[in-house]
Amino acid sequence: MSQNENLAALSAAGVSVWLDDLSRERLQTGNLADLIATKSVVGVTTNPSIFQAALSKGDAYDEQVNELAAQGADVDATIRTVTTDDVRNACDVLAKTYEATDGVDGRVSIEVDPRLAHDTDKTILQAIELWKIVDRPNLLIKIPATQAGLPAITAVIAEGISVNVTLIFSVERHKAVIDAYLAGLEKAKEAGHDLSKIHSVASFFVSRVDSEIDARLEKIGSKEALDLRGKAGVANARLAYAAYEELFGGERFAALKADGARAQRPLWASTGVKNPDYSDTLYVTELVAPNTVNTMPEKTLDAVADHGVVTGDTVSGTAAEAQGVFDALVAVGIDKDDVFITLEEEGVEKFEKSWAELMEATQGQLDAAKK
């Protein structure tokens, strides 16, 4: 089987293609293996919403849930067992990719319980627990970039555990995440860990920024405001990439790099287009840059495979233009700080809601199995 030309071009331009979805059905049918073989997929991300959708659809999990019910497992233990089994199996499917890329790709992410987003200590403990349960070197533990998440990122990296930092919306928070990562590497070095084995990505959310800012622009309603719709998400990500280049090109990282440390790659998340008026490949083709990751829902992956036009790097050198977009947004009355606070709060709430729905559905299955 040969790779799709458009996705192969994206990979050749330095973008790692990850699938933003995982289910037992994908694993059992060989679908994930097929995407690796034909659509340049070299990683997988999950989140509470993805697991909630997977577990509440079909019967792929029924047998295991019934067994766990017979053993007396509660809902938390059941969810932990089922999700970590899926992630471990996906890690095994991607093991060859992990080896072939010296650990850069072949990665699978699992998220700490979203109810812990504002609890540093419990986030650290669960991150370590998940790392031990899955027990695969190509795992990434997802920790949200909340204020409480930042010190947890440092502590978990210091333990030699690879981390996917999620729910990043602003460039300022992205810089704080990079600082937390570098602090973790410095502590890991002191503790004697092999820095070359520690990997991290910073998941910068894209489409949600446009959704929130577009709604505010439409409320303002002026021509100047309406002309800025659909521009904020890409501009924000391009500014994030400029921050990545600046901070990982500096002296602090240089000292760590000499000991084998890897830069924390920007990962473009939330790349499924929510506004049907926009190109369905917008958040892929406009965010092509070396040493990045784009994690896509399958619908976006298929769109890029079918008609995505990859013209090489569309990010490097665009920071001034991107800053101009934000200057214009502020000029028409957008409070960007409020935008990013709102998005973070909503992001945590959405994952908490999905987790609650996952718990409810799983409890229902456990109860049915006991009858």
Side-chain angles (χ1 to χ4, degrees), residues 216-295:
R216 296 185 185 213
L217 290 169
E218 285 165 7
K219 199 170 181 181
I220 293 166
S222 66
K223 182 182 184 305
E224 292 82 5
L226 296 177
D227 286 347
L228 290 167
R229 286 177 297 181
K231 295 182 178 179
V234 168
N236 200 38
R238 287 173 171 176
L239 289 170
Y241 189 78
Y244 151 79
E245 288 185 304
E246 176 193 345
L247 294 173
F248 285 104
E251 291 180 10
R252 186 180 181 191
F253 179 66
L256 293 161
K257 189 177 181 182
D259 286 306
R262 319 277 190 137
Q264 181 187 57
R265 292 188 292 169
L267 178 152
W268 312 130
S270 182
T271 56
V273 174
K274 294 177 172 59
N275 186 331
D277 293 337
Y278 301 157
S279 163
D280 54 3
T281 64
L282 173 67
Y283 303 124
V284 179
T285 57
E286 295 303 308
L287 292 175
V288 178
N291 212 33
T292 58
V293 179
N294 195 307
T295 185

Side-chain angles (χ1 to χ4, degrees), residues 23-338:
S23 67
R24 188 153 299 178
E25 185 181 6
R26 281 194 191 281
L27 294 163
Q28 290 175 339
T29 61
N31 169 264
L32 178 58
D34 288 345
L35 293 176
I36 293 166
T38 63
K39 290 187 175 171
S40 297
V41 168
V42 291
V44 170
T45 50
T46 64
N47 61 44
S49 300
I50 287 169
F51 275 130
Q52 187 270 330
L55 267 78
S56 49
K57 186 174 64 178
D59 57 5
Y61 297 92
D62 290 357
E63 184 179 346
Q64 186 177 22
V65 172
N66 291 341
E67 287 173 3
L68 290 164
Q71 295 164 17
D74 65 13
V75 66
D76 286 310
T78 300
I79 291 170
R80 184 167 56 248
T81 301
V82 167
T83 56
T84 53
D85 280 1
D86 276 3
V87 167
R88 186 184 306 108
N89 290 333
C91 282
D92 290 343
V93 172
L94 282 152
K96 288 182 180 176
T97 304
Y98 170 76
E99 290 161 12
T101 60
D102 190 26
V104 174
D105 285 312
R107 295 279 172 174
V108 184
S109 298
I110 188 169
E111 189 148 351
V112 296
D113 185 332
R115 295 172 297 178
L116 306 180
H118 303 297
D119 189 323
T120 302
D121 293 340
K122 287 183 180 177
T123 293
I124 295 166
L125 289 172
Q126 190 175 90
I128 294 169
E129 179 189 32
L130 289 170
W131 182 258
K132 288 177 178 175
I133 292 171
V134 175
D135 192 27
R136 294 293 185 271
N138 49 333
L139 178 68
L140 288 172
I141 304 293
K142 287 180 87 170
I143 297 175
T146 54
Q147 287 293 350
L150 294 173
I153 293 158
T154 296
V156 173
I157 292 288
E159 293 287 332
I161 294 171
S162 296
V163 172
N164 175 344
V165 184
T166 187
L167 288 177
I168 307 172
F169 295 99
S170 72
V171 175
E172 291 74 20
R173 186 58 58 86
H174 183 216
K175 289 179 178 178
V177 165
I178 293 172
D179 180 69
Y181 173 62
L182 294 175
L185 287 178
E186 287 159 355
K187 290 186 176 183
K189 180 180 173 181
E190 287 172 21
H193 289 290
D194 180 352
L195 299 189
S196 70
K197 302 293 186 189
I198 303 171
H199 288 252
S200 186
V201 292
S203 294
F204 204 84
F205 281 52
V206 187
S207 67
R208 292 191 196 180
V209 173
D210 270 338
S211 296
E212 179 65 25
I213 289 181
D214 282 2
R216 296 185 185 213
L217 290 169
E218 285 165 7
K219 199 170 181 181
I220 293 166
S222 66
K223 182 182 184 305
E224 292 82 5
L226 296 177
D227 286 347
L228 290 167
R229 286 177 297 181
K231 295 182 178 179
V234 168
N236 200 38
R238 287 173 171 176
L239 289 170
Y241 189 78
Y244 151 79
E245 288 185 304
E246 176 193 345
L247 294 173
F248 285 104
E251 291 180 10
R252 186 180 181 191
F253 179 66
L256 293 161
K257 189 177 181 182
D259 286 306
R262 319 277 190 137
Q264 181 187 57
R265 292 188 292 169
L267 178 152
W268 312 130
S270 182
T271 56
V273 174
K274 294 177 172 59
N275 186 331
D277 293 337
Y278 301 157
S279 163
D280 54 3
T281 64
L282 173 67
Y283 303 124
V284 179
T285 57
E286 295 303 308
L287 292 175
V288 178
N291 212 33
T292 58
V293 179
N294 195 307
T295 185
M296 310 175 205
E298 192 166 23
K299 186 177 178 183
T300 303
L301 184 75
D302 289 342
V304 176
D306 181 64
H307 52 265
V309 180
V310 180
T311 57
D313 189 340
T314 53
V315 176
S316 299
T318 62
E321 180 186 346
Q323 185 57 54
V325 171
F326 271 87
D327 291 344
L329 287 166
V330 171
V332 299
I334 295 295
D335 182 342
K336 66 173 187 173
D337 291 338
D338 184 67

